[in-house]
C-alpha cells in the first residue's frame, strides 16, 4: 500500500491550515470583549490545531527553523483550547452538581475569570498566527466562521428523567464500598499538595516542575477518571431515594475534580513542553522566548497552581466525609475475636499496623475491650486500649466493623501482629504487603 501522494508539502500545508486559520480568523474578528467562546468553538480549535500539528510534525517542522514557530503556535492553540474546553464544561455543568453546602460562589467567579484569562491568551496568539501564516505564504481564508456556527451547548429545555433503574442491592452496596474506598485513597494521597493560602510566584516556581508537574497530575486525573467510570458503569441512581442525593453529591465531587485536573494537565503540558527554559539554545530558545512574550508563563503557572491545584484539593477534601459516610452505610460488617500481641501488648508497632489496615480500607472499625470501645484507625486509641488490656490482664479482644479490614486483622493477629516474642519485626504475609 502506498502511503504517499503527489501533492506537495506546501499544497498540503494550505489544506491542513484552512479550517484552523478559518477559526483563528473568527477569533480575530470578534469585536465583543464580553463574548465567551463556546465548547463547539474550543472543540473546533482543538481538532484543527491538532491535525495541523500532526501534519507539521510528520514533515519535521519541529527541526526546521522556517516552520518551527508555526508549529509551536498550533500546539499553543491546542493546549490552551483543551484547558478552556474543560473549564467551560465545569461552568456549564456547575448548576447540575450537588454539594453539601452552598459555599462555592467564589469558585464560580474564579473559574470564570480563569476561563477569560485563557481565552484572552488565545486571542493574543490569533493575529500572530495569521502573520506567521502570511510569512510562510499560506493561503488565508477570505472570512472566518459565522457566529451562528458556534452556538452554546445549553438550551431552555431539559429532558425528563424517566428512567428509574435499579441494581441488585447487595451488588450496589459492594460497588459503592469499593468506589468510596478508592476515592478516600486518592484524597489521602493528594493531601500532600494541600495549601490554604495562595502561593506567590517564587513558591510556584519551586513547585513546578520538580514537585508538581504534568506526569503527577495526569496520574491523579486517571485515578479520578477510573472512579467516575466505575460509578457510571456499576452504580445506578434512582430518581427518588434519599440515598440518591448522597450519591449525586459524591459523583459531583470527583467529577468536578476530574475536569479541574484536565485543565491543570493541559496547562502544565503547555508550560513544561513549550515555555519552560531547559537550556536550549539558538532557534529553540528564540521560539520559546517568542511564545513567552505572547503567552505569559507566570499566568499559566498561577492558574495551574492557585486555581487548579487549590480547588482540586479543596473539592477532594470536602468530599472526604461524604465518601466515609457512604462507605460506612454500605460496607459489609462483622465482628472477630483475636488474641493480643504476646508479651508486649499493643505498643507502637502492632498499634500502627492495626491502624494502617483500618485506614487502608477507610471503613469504621472498633476495638472492643470488655465494655469499652476504641477507634481502631487511631494509634493513640489503640495504645489507650493497650493500657486497659495490660491493667486488667485481658488476653482476647474483639474488632467490629468493616469486614475487609477484619479479614486482614485476623491475618495480622495470626502472625502476632508482625513481631516475634522479643518485639522484633518479622516478614508479613503477602496479603498484607500494602503495609510495607
Amino acid at each position: 500500500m502506498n502511503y504517499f501522494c503527489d501533492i506537495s508539502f506546501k499544497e498540503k500545508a494550505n489544506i491542513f491550515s484552512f479550517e484552523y486559520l478559518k477559526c483563528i480568523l473568527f477569533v480575530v474578528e470578534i469585536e465583543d470583549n464580553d463574548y465567551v467562546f463556546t465548547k463547539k468553538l474550543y472543540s473546533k480549535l482543538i481538532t484543527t490545531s491538532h491535525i495541523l500539528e500532526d501534519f507539521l510534525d510528520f514533515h519535521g517542522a519541529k527541526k526546521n527553523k522556517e516552520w518551527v514557530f508555526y508549529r509551536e503556535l498550533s500546539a499553543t492553540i491546542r493546549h490552551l483550547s483543551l484547558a478552556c474546553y474543560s473549564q467551560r464544561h465545569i461552568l456549564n455543568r456547575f448548576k447540575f452538581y450537588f454539594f453539601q453546602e452552598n459555599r462555592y460562589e467564589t469558585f464560580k467567579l474564579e473559574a470564570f475569570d480563569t476561563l477569560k484569562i485563557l481565552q484572552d491568551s488565545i486571542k493574543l496568539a490569533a493575529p500572530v498566527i495569521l502573520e506567521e501564516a502570511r510569512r510562510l505564504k499560506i493561503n488565508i481564508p477570505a472570512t472566518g466562521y459565522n457566529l451562528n456556527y458556534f452556538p452554546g451547548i445549553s438550551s431552555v429545555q431539559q429532558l425528563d428523567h424517566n428512567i428509574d433503574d435499579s441494581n441488585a442491592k447487595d451488588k450496589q452496596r459492594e460497588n459503592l464500598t469499593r468506589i468510596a474506598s478508592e476515592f478516600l485513597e486518592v484524597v489521602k494521597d493528594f493531601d500532600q499538595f494541600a495549601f490554604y493560602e495562595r502561593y506567590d510566584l517564587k513558591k510556584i516556581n519551586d513547585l513546578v516542575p520538580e514537585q508538581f508537574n504534568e506526569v503527577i497530575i495526569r496520574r491523579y486525573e486517571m485515578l479520578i477518571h477510573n472512579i467516575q467510570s466505575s460509578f457510571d458503569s456499576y452504580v445506578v441512581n434512582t430518581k427518588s431515594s434519599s440515598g440518591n442525593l448522597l450519591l449525586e453529591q459524591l459523583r459531583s465531587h470527583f467529577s468536578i475534580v476530574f475536569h479541574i485536573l484536565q485543565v491543570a494537565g493541559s496547562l502544565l503540558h503547555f508550560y513544561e513542553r513549550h515555555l519552560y527554559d531547559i537550556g536550549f539554545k539558538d532557534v529553540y530558545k528564540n521560539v520559546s522566548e517568542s511564545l513567552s512574550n505572547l503567552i505569559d508563563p507566570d499566568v499559566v503557572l498561577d492558574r495551574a497552581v492557585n486555581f487548579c491545584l487549590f480547588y482540586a484539593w479543596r473539592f477532594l477534601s470536602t468530599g472526604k466525609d461524604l465518601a466515609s459516610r457512604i462507605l460506612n452505610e454500605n460496607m459489609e460488617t462483622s465482628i472477630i475475636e483475636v488474641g493480643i500481641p504476646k508479651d508486649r501488648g499493643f505498643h507502637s508497632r502492632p498499634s500502627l499496623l492495626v491502624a494502617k489496615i483500618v485506614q487502608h480500607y477507610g471503613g469504621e472499625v472498633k476495638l472492643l475491650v470488655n465494655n469499652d470501645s476504641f477507634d481502631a484507625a487511631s494509634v493513640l486509641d489503640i495504645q489507650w486500649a493497650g493500657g486497659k488490656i495490660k491493667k486488667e490482664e485481658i488476653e482476647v479482644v474483639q474488632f467490629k466493623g468493616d469486614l475487609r479490614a477484619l479479614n486482614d486483622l485476623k491475618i495480622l493477629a495470626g502472625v502476632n501482629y508482625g513481631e516475634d516474642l522479643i518485639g522484633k519485626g518479622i516478614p508479613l504475609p503477602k496479603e498484607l504487603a500494602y503495609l510495607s
Side-chain angles (χ1 to χ4, degrees), residues 372-392:
D372 292 326
S373 174
F374 300 88
D375 182 3
S378 166
V379 174
L380 187 59
D381 255 31
I382 298 169
Q383 290 181 325
W384 281 342
K388 177 181 174 66
I389 290 166
K390 185 175 182 179
K391 181 180 179 180
E392 299 181 12

Side-chain angles (χ1 to χ4, degrees), residues 300-319:
V300 173
L301 283 180
D302 175 73
R303 293 299 81 197
V305 174
N306 281 331
F307 175 76
C308 295
L309 179 59
F310 176 77
Y311 279 111
W313 166 73
R314 185 172 176 185
F315 279 109
L316 285 171
S317 298
T318 54

Side-chain angles (χ1 to χ4, degrees), residues 62-63 68 71-72 270-291:
K62 286 180 72 173
K63 297 182 179 180
V68 64
R71 186 267 176 197
E72 289 295 289
F270 176 54
Y271 173 77
E272 293 175 53
R273 292 287 296 274
H274 303 281
L275 299 176
Y276 182 56
D277 182 5
I278 57 173
F280 285 138
K281 297 180 179 180
D282 303 328
V283 175
Y284 289 118
K285 187 173 183 63
N286 291 336
V287 169
S288 179
E289 287 178 350
S290 296
L291 283 180

Side-chain angles (χ1 to χ4, degrees), residues 9-45:
F9 167 77
K10 194 61 177 291
E11 289 175 297
K12 282 202 169 183
N14 279 311
I15 293 171
F16 281 95
S17 295
F18 182 78
E19 289 186 271
Y20 167 70
L21 293 178
K22 198 171 176 68
C23 285
I24 297 301
L25 199 58
F26 171 81
V27 171
V28 169
E29 291 171 347
I30 294 173
E31 296 181 355
D32 183 1
N33 289 329
D34 294 327
Y35 176 75
V36 181
F37 293 4
T38 66
K39 287 181 72 176
K40 186 176 180 183
L41 173 54
Y42 286 128
S43 178
K44 192 73 171 175
L45 286 167

